[in-house]
Amino acid sequence: MASFSTSTPQRVSNKGSATTTTTTTTTRTTLDALHPDLQSHILTRLDGQTLTYASCVSSQFHAFCTEESLWTDICLSTWPSTNDPRVRQLISTFPNGPRSFFSDSFPLLVPSSESNLLPPTSPCSSSPELLISAVDIQYRDELIFSKVQETETQSRWFRCSPFRLDFLDIKDVVPTPIRATAADTCQDISDGLTLSWITIDPTGLRAANLSSWKPVSVQRHWLSGEIQARFATILAGDRKSTEFVQCGVVVTCGACEGGEMMQVREIYLQVEDMEGMNLNGMDSLGILRKAMRGEGGKRMKRRGEEGKQRYEEYLRLQTERKERKLRREGRLDAICIAFGFSIVAAFWALLLFR
């Protein structure tokens, strides 16, 4: 058993024939004795990443740090939407309960360059009948929106239509503490707004966070004046059609009439390829299932600017792809024009020599 000990070294002094000895004093404090304070005052203050590191210290620490109540509280404090009864019941069925759910949902999803060599997962085989989305939006650590929504995936309409998940009806708005009259509202939203979009497969008991946590871009619409904050995760696509795809979550904010505060008017998720085309439900479901299962990519520790950097790299690759396409089309146009001129020249030459 692991223990902490302190001891006083033995001291011996000789004066003539007399010998004086101070015996060793050892005090041992076991982790079992510290367990109540460790549980209630120390471990409850740690975040999920730190708690994971602490569990590697010893077998006893591992036992303390993997208790289900700790991870339930961490999931609830990180994502208030997990307090929904449907989600709580579903999390309890994960292999290690809330600890497995956290390990799936907290890290950033990162595509692998080797993933394009993998055969595409067929969305028709053992595909879930439902996708459950848990969304939380915070502004400077203050919760402004939390909702859980189920989406059926078996209908022909879902599979053939462009994939889009909306979390607000047309007339619904969400009040926010964001001031519309601020000197730079876009920068304020970029610095203070955070979003989590967790997609759960209730059949395979896997989950993935499709958000970059912080916005990758914030822009004001030139006509309406509304501000769009985009959160994006780049995933591996099918090499036959596109190398990468973008899971983009858009939050649209606008000022209320006669008010000084912003309102959230739109929250939706779309999946688009490098051509800027929206994928349909069937293709999107296959890509999301691969991401949740860890196929075609990996999960990595979340960093503040990691999502934005990967989004900018995606835009760079997208621009290069468009430029190559334009050059290829330009060469084809030149060949067609040259071929057309040669046909016309041959026709006139034939007329002249007749």
Side-chain angles (χ1 to χ4, degrees):
M1 180 178 295
S3 63
F4 302 101
S5 64
T6 58
S7 62
T8 304
Q10 190 181 51
R11 292 178 299 170
V12 180
S13 60
N14 294 319
K15 294 184 180 178
S17 60
T19 301
T20 305
T21 303
T22 303
T23 59
T24 301
T25 303
T26 304
T27 304
R28 296 182 180 272
T29 306
T30 66
L31 284 176
D32 287 335
L34 288 175
H35 180 220
D37 290 336
L38 194 66
Q39 277 297 86
S40 58
H41 299 300
I42 299 177
L43 297 183
T44 55
R45 299 176 182 271
L46 303 182
D47 58 26
Q49 286 181 293
T50 308
L51 198 61
T52 301
Y53 297 148
S55 67
C56 301
V57 172
S58 68
S59 59
Q60 279 188 301
F61 260 106
H62 184 270
F64 297 153
C65 295
T66 54
E67 291 194 7
E68 186 170 320
S69 59
L70 279 174
W71 287 97
T72 298
D73 293 341
I74 286 175
C75 288
L76 183 58
S77 61
T78 307
W79 308 294
S81 59
T82 58
N83 197 37
D84 183 277
R86 293 168 295 178
V87 177
R88 294 191 69 169
Q89 190 279 330
L90 190 57
I91 290 176
S92 66
T93 62
F94 273 56
N96 291 311
R99 188 157 56 98
S100 293
F101 180 79
F102 185 90
S103 66
D104 274 358
S105 305
F106 184 79
L108 285 173
L109 291 174
V110 179
S112 170
S113 58
E114 299 176 355
S115 62
N116 301 317
L117 303 177
L118 295 173
T121 303
S122 173
C124 298
S125 60
S126 66
S127 59
E129 296 182 359
L130 290 175
L131 278 183
I132 299 179
S133 301
V135 176
D136 297 287
I137 303 178
Q138 298 181 350
Y139 175 73
R140 302 196 184 280
D141 299 326
E142 178 183 346
L143 184 67
I144 61 176
F145 180 82
S146 182
K147 184 179 178 180
V148 174
Q149 181 172 291
E150 295 181 351
T151 304
E152 64 83 23
T153 64
Q154 299 300 304
S155 69
R156 183 177 179 83
W157 178 88
F158 172 85
R159 292 176 175 272
C160 298
S161 300
F163 179 80
R164 172 166 169 151
L165 299 182
D166 285 278
F167 259 61
L168 288 179
D169 293 331
I170 296 178
K171 296 182 179 180
D172 290 343
V173 294
V174 179
T176 74
I178 305 172
R179 298 186 65 85
T181 57
D184 192 346
T185 307
C186 288
Q187 186 63 44
D188 189 29
I189 291 176
S190 179
D191 294 339
L193 199 67
T194 56
L195 179 143
S196 170
W197 188 300
I198 300 175
T199 299
I200 308 170
D201 175 3
T203 304
L205 296 180
R206 296 302 301 267
N209 202 326
L210 303 179
S211 172
S212 53
W213 185 245
K214 294 183 71 66
V216 295
S217 70
V218 179
Q219 297 179 340
R220 186 185 294 273
H221 192 275
W222 65 274
L223 182 59
S224 66
E226 293 180 329
I227 296 176
Q228 286 191 336
R230 177 176 290 271
F231 303 78
T233 293
I234 309 304
L235 299 177
D238 180 7
R239 171 164 287 189
K240 294 180 181 179
S241 58
T242 182
E243 296 179 35
F244 301 102
V245 297
Q246 176 195 165
C247 292
V249 181
V250 176
V251 178
T252 303
C253 302
C256 56
E257 293 185 9
E260 297 182 351
M261 299 300 177
M262 302 289 287
Q263 296 175 331
V264 176
R265 298 175 179 174
E266 272 187 324
I267 306 169
Y268 64 87
L269 167 70
Q270 287 182 322
V271 181
E272 64 179 43
D273 61 18
M274 297 189 72
E275 300 290 341
M277 301 294 293
N278 293 335
L279 273 62
N280 60 28
M282 182 174 65
D283 294 336
S284 299
L285 182 61
I287 289 172
L288 294 181
R289 286 178 61 239
K290 286 201 299 182
M292 285 186 281
R293 294 181 179 186
E295 303 172 14
K298 60 182 179 179
R299 290 172 166 85
M300 64 175 295
K301 179 181 177 183
R302 180 187 296 164
R303 297 181 177 88
E305 297 298 323
E306 189 72 31
K308 187 173 184 178
Q309 292 172 2
R310 295 190 178 278
Y311 176 71
E312 292 174 349
E313 176 68 13
Y314 172 82
L315 293 182
R316 184 184 66 80
L317 294 174
Q318 191 177 49
T319 301
E320 292 178 355
R321 185 187 182 97
K322 289 179 180 178
E323 291 175 350
R324 288 196 301 269
K325 183 178 180 180
L326 289 175
R327 288 196 296 267
R328 184 167 59 249
E329 290 177 349
R331 287 194 294 268
L332 289 175
D333 289 343
I335 293 174
C336 290
I337 292 173
F339 182 74
F341 273 119
S342 64
I343 294 296
V344 172
F347 177 75
W348 280 103
L350 183 62
L351 291 179
L352 291 175
F353 288 101
R354 286 186 64 178

